[in-house]
């Protein structure tokens, strides 16, 4: 069988276990395409190194992540056919380090939504969809792929509940949305279905009515950030470097925690709520924000050193 066929099977099996694999699929398909161009149908170390050399420059952490994706694929293939080589550990040395989050100000979020609404397209769907998508992520903190996976039935405009069926590792959860956000979602649905001439099954769509994809969402977000000065202008459709769409989620989490400290709430009691809301596997992943966001670290430190606050929390 071809590598492309084996990749389809591999992705299908892992997704059945609850993995999202959006980024991994893009990288692996490019790797398989390179192998096909080379006339190679079995994974080897030389094949990976050749792909790395032909791919272009990227950060060490980026190549470390790509290496892990291909290595996992090679392990799976080796289990089926030992002529596939398992890529050796340490071939691309790197140490995983979580990207420092960019915390948007409320004014920046408003600017992103307003600029996204101006994105041009034949029927106006691009601006309508992107502005609503970015706004929903900003006020709920959901992951980009969770939002893109939503179907119309997952958004109950009567009760204001968003049902996330495709969370990380297959976990589901319900998110109640504020009535002001529900009003925006209701307006989007009405305008979307008017432009399409029919009710839509996917919630967030492109002009042709198909579901907006991960690549399109990230490109449009990068383009908007360039337009408002949060990223350097680029040529040939490049994204450049700067705040990411995932930072809307980080900003939601950080602002929520900052509000706890400023209003005198006990973070230890509130943390489990936020962990559940964000769909984290455990609270440790949520506590990370305290270390990653300087303002949160200052507030947490002040709470620990303030005897009055210690007395309240005890």
């Amino acid at each position: 069988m071809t590598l492309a066929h084996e990749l389809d099977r591999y992705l299908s099996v892992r997704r059945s276990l609850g993995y999202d694999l959006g980024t991994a699929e893009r990288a692996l398909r490019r790797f398989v395409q390179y192998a096909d161009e080379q006339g190679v149908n079995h994974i080897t170390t030389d094949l990976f190194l050749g792909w790395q050399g032909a791919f272009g420059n990227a950060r060490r952490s980026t190549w470390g992540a790509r290496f892990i994706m291909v290595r996992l694929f090679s392990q799976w293939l080796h289990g089926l056919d030992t002529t596939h080589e398992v890529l050796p550990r340490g071939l691309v040395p790197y140490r995983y380090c979580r990207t420092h989050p960019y915390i948007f100000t409320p004014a920046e979020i408003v600017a992103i939504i307003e600029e996204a609404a101006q994105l041009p397209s034949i029927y106006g769907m691009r601006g309508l969809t992107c502005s609503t998508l970015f706004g929903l992520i900003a006020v709920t903190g959901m992951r980009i792929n969770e939002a893109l996976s939503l179907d119309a039935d997952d958004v109950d405009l009567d009760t204001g509940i968003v049902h996330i069926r495709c969370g990380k590792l297959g976990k589901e959860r319900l998110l109640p949305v504020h009535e002001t956000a529900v009003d925006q979602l209701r307006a989007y649905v009405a305008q979307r279905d008017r432009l399409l001439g029919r009710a839509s099954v996917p919630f967030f769509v492109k002009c042709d009515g198909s579901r907006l994809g991960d690549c399109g969402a990230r490109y449009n977000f990068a383009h908007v950030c360039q337009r408002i000065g949060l990223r350097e202008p680029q040529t040939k459709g490049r994204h450049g470097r700067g705040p990411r769409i995932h930072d809307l989620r980080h900003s939601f989490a950080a602002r929520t925690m900052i509000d706890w400290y400023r209003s005198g709430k006990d973070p230890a009691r509130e943390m489990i709520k936020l962990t559940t809301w964000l769909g984290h596997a455990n609270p440790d992943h949520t506590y990370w924000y305290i270390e990653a966001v300087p303002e949160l670290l200052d507030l947490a430190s002040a709470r620990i050193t303030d005897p009055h606050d210690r007395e309240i929390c005890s």
Side-chain angles (χ1 to χ4, degrees), residues 36 77 84 123 139:
D36 184 60
L77 286 173
H84 290 282
Y123 302 111
V139 299

Side-chain angles (χ1 to χ4, degrees), residues 52 58-69 92-99 241:
Q52 184 181 18
R59 294 177 180 176
R60 179 177 294 182
S61 60
T62 299
W63 271 112
R66 290 172 183 164
F67 167 69
I68 291 174
M69 295 168 191
V92 180
Y94 88 107
R95 183 173 64 87
Y96 174 73
C97 182
R98 295 184 77 168
T99 302
R241 294 183 179 180

Side-chain angles (χ1 to χ4, degrees), residues 101-113:
Y102 182 93
I103 306 303
F104 294 104
T105 66
E108 288 172 337
I109 292 176
V110 170
I112 287 169
I113 294 172

Side-chain angles (χ1 to χ4, degrees), residues 7-35:
L7 177 58
D8 289 339
R9 286 208 300 163
Y10 171 76
L11 295 171
S12 178
V13 169
R14 291 201 67 196
R15 282 186 170 131
S16 71
L17 299 174
Y19 292 93
D20 175 64
L21 302 179
T23 302
E25 179 176 3
R26 291 195 298 274
L28 289 171
R29 291 209 181 279
R30 294 186 71 169
F31 173 72
V32 167
Q33 180 182 3
Y34 172 80

Side-chain angles (χ1 to χ4, degrees), residues 35 75 91 121 147 158 220 226 282 294 298:
Q75 287 178 313
L91 184 63
S121 62
D158 294 326
N220 284 310
Q226 291 173 25
N282 61 66
D298 289 343

Side-chain angles (χ1 to χ4, degrees), residues 53-310:
F55 198 103
N57 294 327
R59 294 177 180 176
R60 179 177 294 182
S61 60
T62 299
W63 271 112
R66 290 172 183 164
F67 167 69
I68 291 174
M69 295 168 191
V70 176
R71 186 173 189 275
L72 288 173
F73 183 41
S74 74
Q75 287 178 313
W76 187 78
L77 286 173
H78 182 78
L80 301 173
D81 180 356
T82 56
T83 57
H84 290 282
E85 181 181 336
V86 176
L87 301 184
R89 292 183 181 275
L91 184 63
V92 180
Y94 88 107
R95 183 173 64 87
Y96 174 73
C97 182
R98 295 184 77 168
T99 302
H100 190 79
Y102 182 93
I103 306 303
F104 294 104
T105 66
E108 288 172 337
I109 292 176
V110 170
I112 287 169
I113 294 172
E114 291 180 345
E115 187 62 36
Q118 304 306 313
L119 289 169
S121 62
I122 296 176
Y123 302 111
M125 188 72 77
R126 182 186 178 200
L128 179 67
T129 292
C130 288
S131 60
T132 309
L133 171 67
F134 301 158
L136 181 63
I137 295 174
V139 299
T140 62
M142 67 175 62
R143 300 177 179 92
I144 173 63
N145 286 318
E146 291 173 342
L148 294 174
S149 297
L150 291 174
D151 286 335
D153 291 343
D154 297 328
V155 183
D156 191 329
L157 297 175
D158 294 326
T159 61
I161 299 293
V162 175
H163 185 181
I164 297 178
R165 301 179 189 274
C166 302
K168 196 169 184 178
L169 300 180
K171 293 184 177 180
E172 297 185 34
R173 65 188 191 279
L174 300 175
L175 298 183
V177 181
H178 192 273
E179 60 184 19
T180 55
V182 173
D183 289 342
Q184 294 297 319
L185 294 175
R186 186 176 287 111
Y188 168 73
V189 168
Q191 184 71 345
R192 177 201 65 196
D193 291 352
R194 184 188 68 80
L195 292 172
L196 291 178
R198 55 181 169 78
S200 174
V201 174
F203 193 79
F204 290 113
V205 300
K206 298 183 289 186
C207 287
D208 62 0
S210 63
R211 189 183 303 274
L212 177 64
D214 180 84
C215 288
R218 293 179 191 278
Y219 169 79
N220 284 310
F221 187 81
H223 183 65
V224 165
C225 286
Q226 291 173 25
R227 294 273 294 269
I228 64 176
L230 290 177
R231 286 185 177 219
E232 290 295 324
Q234 303 289 313
T235 58
K236 299 181 180 179
R238 293 189 177 93
H239 290 204
R241 294 183 179 180
R244 308 157 301 153
I245 193 170
H246 198 63
D247 287 320
L248 291 173
R249 173 175 165 86
H250 290 323
S251 299
F252 170 84
R255 293 296 171 195
T256 298
M257 296 173 73
I258 287 170
D259 288 344
W260 296 344
Y261 284 101
R262 288 180 173 171
S263 62
K265 292 182 178 179
D266 180 2
R269 295 176 181 173
E270 299 294 326
M271 190 64 72
I272 190 63
K273 300 177 187 177
L274 183 58
T275 295
T276 302
W277 181 279
L278 294 173
H280 282 161
N282 61 66
D284 288 346
H285 297 160
T286 317
Y287 274 109
W288 168 75
Y289 287 105
I290 294 179
E291 298 179 4
V293 179
E295 184 177 358
L296 262 174
L297 186 58
D298 289 343
L299 288 169
S301 299
R303 173 68 64 89
I304 292 172
T305 56
D306 189 321
H308 176 66
D309 282 333
R310 287 204 307 271

